[in-house]
Amino acid sequence: SGQGYWLFTSLGRVFPKGDAQSFGDLANTKLNGAIQSSIPTPTGKGYFMVGSDGGVFAFGDAVFHGSMGSAKLNQPVQSLVPTRTNQGYWLVASDGGIFAFGDAAFKGSMGATKLNKPVVGMVRYGDGYLMVGADGGIFDFSSKPFVGSLGNNPPARPIVFAATLDS
C-alpha cells in the first residue's frame, strides 16, 4: 500500500513501521563490518543489507548472489544497488571500486583513479550505474548521456547521497 518503511541500524537491526513487513534482521549475527546501507528490492518485498567489509545479507525476495565479505578490500563498501530484475547487484567501495554479482554487468569503476573525495554511494541508471563522490563528482557508467557533476565546484558540505529520475 506504500504506507510504511523500514529503519535499519549499523548492527543490522530492522524496525518496520506502518504496513512494512519485517523479513528478518541480523540482531543475533556477529558482523565483521558495520552495515553501511540497506536497500529495498525493486518489488518492495524484501531488502538487502551490505556491510563495510562487503558482506551482503538478503531478506524476503532479495536473492543472494555473492559478496566480498571474505575478500581483502582496499576501502570499505558504501552501498549496494540491485538490478531491475532483482537477479543481481553492484557493490561500490569508497575508492570507486565496483563489484558485480548475478546479472549485474560490470560497466567500469574508478578503483584505479585517484579521487578528490571518496565515493559515498551509487544508483542504478539506465543500463548501468552512477557513482557519487562526497564532493559531488558524478561518475557515469551507463549508456545515457552524462548530464553533469559538481566535482569542479563542490558544495561547502559533503554530498551524502544521490537519486535519479530513472526508474
Side-chain angles (χ1 to χ4, degrees):
S1 73
Q3 301 299 314
Y5 50 87
W6 299 283
L7 301 171
F8 298 88
T9 73
S10 62
L11 296 175
R13 294 285 316 272
V14 177
F15 299 94
K17 297 295 178 188
D19 64 2
Q21 181 180 352
S22 175
F23 300 106
D25 69 16
L26 300 168
N28 297 314
T29 304
K30 181 174 177 352
L31 300 173
N32 294 326
I35 296 299
Q36 292 292 95
S37 186
S38 303
I39 302 90
T41 61
T43 64
K45 295 181 179 169
Y47 43 80
F48 294 96
M49 288 188 240
V50 63
S52 61
D53 68 336
V56 173
F57 307 92
F59 299 89
D61 72 349
V63 179
F64 179 78
H65 291 283
S67 76
M68 298 303 292
S70 62
K72 167 108 173 65
L73 301 175
N74 293 331
Q75 294 294 319
V77 168
Q78 297 297 314
S79 188
L80 176 151
V81 174
T83 60
R84 292 182 200 290
T85 64
N86 199 28
Q87 297 302 308
Y89 44 81
W90 298 277
L91 305 180
V92 65
S94 63
D95 64 355
I98 295 288
F99 309 99
F101 296 91
D103 71 353
F106 177 80
K107 300 286 188 169
S109 80
M110 297 303 290
T113 305
K114 183 178 177 346
L115 302 174
N116 293 331
K117 295 288 182 180
V119 169
V120 294
M122 71 185 295
V123 292
R124 186 176 55 237
Y125 193 60
D127 64 347
Y129 42 88
L130 297 176
M131 288 184 266
V132 61
D135 60 353
I138 297 291
F139 308 102
D140 185 352
F141 292 93
S142 78
S143 60
K144 288 187 155 203
F146 180 68
V147 295
S149 167
L150 298 177
N152 290 332
N153 187 22
R157 302 261 186 220
I159 298 294
V160 296
F161 189 73
T164 66
L165 299 175
D166 183 31
S167 55

